[in-house]
């Protein structure tokens, strides 16, 4: 009792007491305080040994240190939380899709790009969002990721909720799954509308300047 963390003692004691009353073995986990003041997580397996009258004679069992497992699980949880935060806050659209094309998970940014609620996107496939002119690109990307584990970057278009075409740049990374399960991958979707707008402005500017220069140069050449 003196070395068991007070926060764990009452629950552990109750579990052991119930098991002994039913003459069943028990398994419990709790923290203990070491001589240096540090806490360690341990797991205890035990059972009561009873005399001929059915009375408890003594306890038999063993205890081992599971702190390494607890630390590992803690690190995994921290990593998972960080990934979840990154998924939610990423400034780029992210979709998790199956080989069938079904959209399984989406982050807020892809909803912002396409104008669909997350729940709406999960009822669609990425082919539903793709215009006929870009279906071959999607088919080729699917073949590539299944062969190599990656695809892209590829420029294509998606339909948004209003039926407008949104130019995007996509790339994908295959997700490891259990053998026999349907392949999954992450598709990263970058909105390139602004990029296309700037490219169009540059093209128009160059075209205008070229035209304005061509007229006087033609006159000079003729003269």
């Amino acid at each position: 009792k003196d070395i068991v963390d007070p926060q764990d003692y009452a629950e552990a004691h109750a579990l052991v007491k119930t098991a002994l009353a039913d003459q069943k073995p028990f398994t419990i986990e709790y923290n203990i305080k070491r001589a240096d003041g540090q806490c360690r997580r341990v797991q205890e397996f035990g059972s009561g040994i009873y005399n001929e009258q059915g009375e408890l004679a003594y306890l038999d069992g063993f205890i081992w240190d599971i702190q390494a497992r607890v630390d590992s699980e803690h690190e995994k949880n921290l990593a998972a939380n960080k990934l979840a935060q990154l998924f939610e806050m990423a400034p780029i659209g992210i979709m998790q899709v199956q080989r069938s094309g079904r959209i399984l998970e989406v982050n807020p940014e892809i909803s912002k790009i396409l104008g669909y609620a997350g729940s709406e996107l999960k009822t669609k496939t990425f082919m539903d969002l793709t215009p006929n002119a870009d279906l071959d690109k999607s088919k080729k990307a699917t073949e590539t990721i299944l062969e190599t584990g990656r695809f892209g970057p590829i420029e294509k278009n998606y339909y948004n909720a209003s039926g407008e075409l949104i130019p995007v740049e996509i790339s994908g990374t295959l997700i490891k799954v259990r053998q026999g399960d349907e392949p999954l991958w992450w598709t990263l979707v970058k909105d390139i509308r602004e990029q296309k707008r700037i490219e169009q402005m540059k093209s128009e500017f160059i075209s205008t300047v070229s035209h304005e220069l061509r007229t006087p140069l033609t006159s000079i050449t003729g003269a």
Side-chain angles (χ1 to χ4, degrees):
K1 179 179 179 179
D2 293 336
I3 64 171
V4 178
D5 189 317
Q7 294 183 352
D8 294 335
Y9 178 79
E11 181 179 358
H13 179 73
L15 289 172
V16 172
K17 186 176 180 180
T18 300
L20 294 176
D22 296 335
Q23 296 192 5
K24 294 180 178 179
F26 58 85
T27 303
I28 54 175
E29 292 184 14
Y30 52 86
N31 291 320
I32 61 171
K33 290 184 178 180
R34 298 184 352 151
D36 60 8
Q38 293 184 349
C39 284
R40 302 289 294 183
R41 191 72 175 175
V42 298
Q43 187 175 52
E44 179 179 350
F45 290 103
S47 61
I49 304 300
Y50 304 88
N51 59 26
E52 295 178 357
Q53 288 75 39
E55 299 169 336
L56 178 66
Y58 58 90
L59 294 177
D60 184 37
F62 51 91
I63 300 173
W64 70 71
D65 189 329
I66 60 169
Q67 189 63 47
R69 188 197 77 190
V70 172
D71 290 342
S72 176
E73 290 174 353
H74 179 66
E75 290 299 323
K76 288 179 181 178
N77 289 336
L78 285 177
N81 288 337
K82 289 178 181 178
L83 286 174
Q85 291 177 10
L86 178 62
F87 180 76
E88 291 295 318
M89 300 175 65
I92 191 169
I94 305 175
M95 298 189 295
Q96 185 189 83
V97 299
Q98 288 179 318
R99 181 178 183 175
S100 63
R102 182 186 171 198
I103 299 171
L104 301 179
E105 295 291 341
V106 296
N107 74 335
E109 186 63 20
I110 192 65
S111 293
K112 180 180 176 182
I113 293 171
L114 299 180
Y116 287 102
S119 57
E120 292 179 290
L121 284 170
K122 291 179 185 180
T123 66
K124 298 181 179 296
T125 68
F126 64 80
M127 287 86 78
D128 295 331
L129 304 174
T130 302
N132 290 336
D134 288 338
L135 286 176
D136 284 344
K137 290 183 178 180
S138 295
K139 181 180 178 181
K140 179 65 176 177
T142 299
E143 293 172 352
T144 300
I145 199 169
L146 293 174
E147 291 174 2
T148 68
R150 292 178 176 275
F151 73 77
I154 298 169
E155 287 191 13
K156 61 172 290 186
N157 294 284
Y158 278 141
Y159 286 117
N160 69 5
S162 300
E164 300 171 323
L165 287 176
I166 306 297
V168 295
E169 182 182 271
I170 64 170
S171 56
T173 303
L174 200 65
I175 302 171
K176 290 184 178 180
V177 296
R178 294 176 302 181
Q179 189 172 4
D181 287 351
E182 185 172 357
L184 305 174
W185 59 84
W186 293 113
T187 296
L188 306 182
V189 182
K190 180 182 178 182
D191 185 343
I192 57 173
R193 279 177 289 186
E194 183 64 15
Q195 176 183 324
K196 290 295 184 182
R197 187 183 70 82
I198 293 172
E199 288 176 357
Q200 179 66 24
M201 289 175 60
K202 286 181 179 179
S203 177
E204 292 174 354
F205 174 75
I206 292 171
S207 178
T208 300
V209 170
S210 176
H211 174 74
E212 293 298 327
L213 287 175
R214 189 183 303 117
T215 301
L217 286 174
T218 301
S219 300
I220 292 170
T221 301

